[in-house]
Amino acid sequence: MRDMVHSGQLAGHTAVVVGAGASGRAAVRLLSRLGAWVRLLEKNPAAIPADFCEAQACTGVEILTGEHTPGHFAGADLVVLSPGISRASLAPYLTACPDAQVLAELELASWFVEAPMVAVTGTNGKTTTVMLISHLLTRAGLSVFTGGNIGTPLSEYVLAGEPADVCVIEASSFQLQNVFTFHPKVAVLLNFSANHLDWHADMDEYLAAKLRLFAMQGPSDLAIVPADLDYLLSGRQVTKARLETFAPSDRFRCPRLLGRHNQADMEAAFAAARPFGVTQELAETAFFDFAPAPHRIQVLGEKRGVIFVDDSKATTVTAMRAAIETFDRPVHLLAGGVFKGGDLEGMVPLLRERVKSVGLFGGSREIFESAWQGALPLEWSATLAEAVEKLYARAASGEVILLSPATSSFDLYSSYKARGRDFQAVFAALPGAPVTPSGEKP
């Protein structure tokens, strides 16, 4: 299929790409390489890098900013959606191209991938599990492309023209809702809980999007699902692939991955890598020295005996629960931001058991206060820095200050990474001599 990536492949076709994020820009470049006439639509002009505009001007790509109109879609054969842009939101405009194929960048790129793909979805833990699988496969001597929703779009892999032995892909529900032929050799559903209900119509639509990961698999493929999701999957024709389940256990250990949820992720990663020759012995060694990505229950260090943990990637209530359950010592919890759904009231028993106080910051104040007021000490601050300083003043040696917000970051920050970096900067500026996780003073 890689031989098909040439300038005549889509000659005579019109393609509209909606959204100028990393995947949208990669789709533009791939479609241009294939010979299509391409129009890029982006509401926010500042979101398009200047060098990208200059490069695409030379290839004839039309870039339009501002509000969409039906005319922007007129004559389109393909409409490629960036993650986070729903087909429903474009319904008023798609009437101008009723015969167009509407698809995700992931779907488009997958048409030109020969290597077997391992794809991972789920509400929480996707990035960690994708990194674990890639780590195992690399240690087994295989060349691996790691991408998708984790950072590098699959279109970039196709454009690079450097074949890998295996492609390991993180897939979000946004992407999966618009795939039709995407066919991973191994597909992993990690877990499922309320998330993105500000985007999906309801939980059924969210689950249906996740399960599209398995739709094109056949009997020679492998589908991996949690053992505790039987209640959701029973009675559904989920896949024709061979089905395997996983559950957390104590057979693998990684000093940098704490908690039962990470033990489940390691089990899922091993199950996904095993068909490529990864043995349990290799996995035990590889997991032990694995270093996770930042902002995922990342221990920053101590000040005055208080442990600071950055879990800014926890954008759901389920992820917050997993983080709190990780610690066997009192926790002071930082929460707040753009709430995406979930059972906050159901968290109250765990909060009473393990959390001494909560520092709310930023958005969704009324939602958290409505659910938790009176259950434990709770105080709101306008900024994360102010909330951290208040918790630090009351925390005792041996206790934990945990940033695990259960929200997206877009009230105060451009991303969960920016939120995590701010937390780390606040930690560094607090009074007291810092001690790193290794026990050495920096």
Side-chain angles (χ1 to χ4, degrees):
M1 289 295 290
R2 286 185 174 275
D3 293 338
M4 297 172 63
V5 183
H6 60 79
S7 59
Q9 179 67 18
L10 290 179
H13 289 72
T14 296
V16 174
V17 177
V18 187
S23 67
R25 298 196 303 271
V28 166
R29 293 177 57 227
L30 178 56
L31 289 162
S32 295
R33 176 82 66 85
L34 293 168
W37 184 83
V38 185
R39 177 185 293 135
L40 173 64
L41 306 180
E42 172 55 60
K43 289 186 177 182
N44 178 15
I48 311 177
D51 57 349
F52 177 81
C53 293
E54 294 170 3
Q56 297 313 309
C58 300
T59 64
V61 172
E62 182 180 18
I63 299 177
L64 299 178
T65 58
E67 292 298 318
H68 306 322
T69 70
H72 292 161
F73 295 83
D77 303 296
L78 295 172
V79 177
V80 180
L81 306 184
S82 298
I85 297 175
S86 69
R87 181 170 181 156
S89 70
L90 298 179
Y93 317 113
L94 295 176
T95 55
C97 53
D99 298 323
Q101 185 173 0
V102 182
L103 66 158
E105 176 272 333
L106 180 65
E107 167 75 8
L108 170 70
S110 71
W111 296 347
F112 306 98
V113 175
E114 284 186 332
M117 291 184 287
V118 177
V120 178
T121 196
T123 303
N124 301 302
K126 294 186 294 295
T127 297
T128 296
T129 305
V130 163
M131 294 178 65
L132 284 166
I133 295 169
S134 296
H135 185 60
L136 292 178
L137 296 176
T138 300
R139 289 289 289 271
L142 300 173
S143 62
V144 181
F145 167 79
T146 306
N149 201 52
I150 195 172
T152 305
L154 189 58
S155 290
E156 295 287 3
Y157 166 74
V158 176
L159 286 162
E162 299 175 359
D165 294 322
V166 186
C167 292
V168 184
I169 307 298
E170 178 182 319
S172 70
S173 61
F174 301 154
Q175 294 167 310
L176 292 173
Q177 202 162 29
N178 291 292
V179 300
F180 309 98
T181 65
F182 180 61
H183 181 183
K185 183 69 178 173
V186 178
V188 183
L189 173 64
L190 289 173
N191 43 55
F192 180 78
S193 61
N195 192 20
H196 300 308
L197 297 183
D198 53 347
W199 196 90
H200 289 289
D202 51 35
M203 288 286 282
D204 284 341
E205 181 186 288
Y206 179 43
L207 177 60
K210 292 292 190 188
L211 295 182
R212 290 189 68 82
L213 184 69
F214 306 112
M216 295 305 297
Q217 288 190 295
S220 64
D221 301 319
L222 175 62
I224 301 169
V225 300
D228 62 2
L229 278 192
D230 286 347
Y231 75 99
L232 270 179
L233 304 181
S234 61
R236 294 176 180 262
Q237 181 57 49
V238 175
T239 184
K240 295 178 182 177
R242 178 169 59 87
L243 196 64
E244 186 173 319
T245 63
F246 70 93
S249 79
D250 297 325
R251 66 171 166 172
F252 299 123
R253 180 169 176 261
C254 175
R256 298 177 182 87
L257 291 178
L258 307 177
R260 294 290 285 175
H261 63 293
N262 279 317
Q263 290 175 325
D265 291 346
M266 285 189 279
E267 290 292 338
F270 176 54
R274 193 163 43 200
F276 299 94
V278 173
T279 64
Q280 181 170 332
E281 292 74 20
L282 186 153
E284 288 171 355
T285 303
F287 283 147
F288 191 82
D289 62 20
F290 174 76
H295 316 303
R296 293 162 174 82
I297 315 186
Q298 178 186 3
V299 179
L300 304 181
E302 301 178 18
K303 283 196 172 180
R304 296 204 292 232
V306 178
I307 302 166
F308 285 76
V309 180
D310 174 4
D311 192 36
S312 183
K313 184 62 173 66
T315 61
T316 68
V317 176
T318 304
M320 171 194 278
R321 174 182 290 276
I324 295 171
E325 289 176 342
T326 296
F327 299 99
D328 58 0
R329 59 185 72 203
V331 169
H332 298 269
L333 177 66
L334 291 156
V338 180
F339 188 65
K340 302 186 295 177
D343 184 10
L344 287 175
E345 291 184 0
M347 289 286 294
V348 169
L350 179 66
L351 297 177
R352 285 175 169 157
E353 176 186 351
R354 301 201 184 192
V355 176
K356 289 189 69 173
S357 67
V358 176
L360 298 177
F361 65 95
S364 302
R365 174 184 181 179
E366 67 286 351
I367 297 174
F368 283 92
E369 287 183 341
S370 174
W372 293 352
Q373 195 79 58
L376 73 169
L378 182 74
E379 185 174 2
W380 180 84
S381 302
T383 67
L384 174 59
E386 182 183 348
V388 172
E389 289 165 2
K390 290 177 180 177
L391 293 186
Y392 187 47
R394 66 171 65 104
S397 178
E399 296 178 345
V400 176
I401 292 179
L402 169 66
L403 171 65
S404 192
T407 63
S408 67
S409 60
F410 301 126
D411 56 333
L412 299 176
Y413 302 96
S414 60
S415 67
Y416 76 84
K417 295 178 182 178
R419 179 170 61 190
R421 287 194 295 267
D422 188 32
F423 179 60
Q424 295 185 17
V426 173
F427 164 70
L430 290 172
V435 178
T436 65
S438 64
E440 299 175 355
K441 292 187 177 182

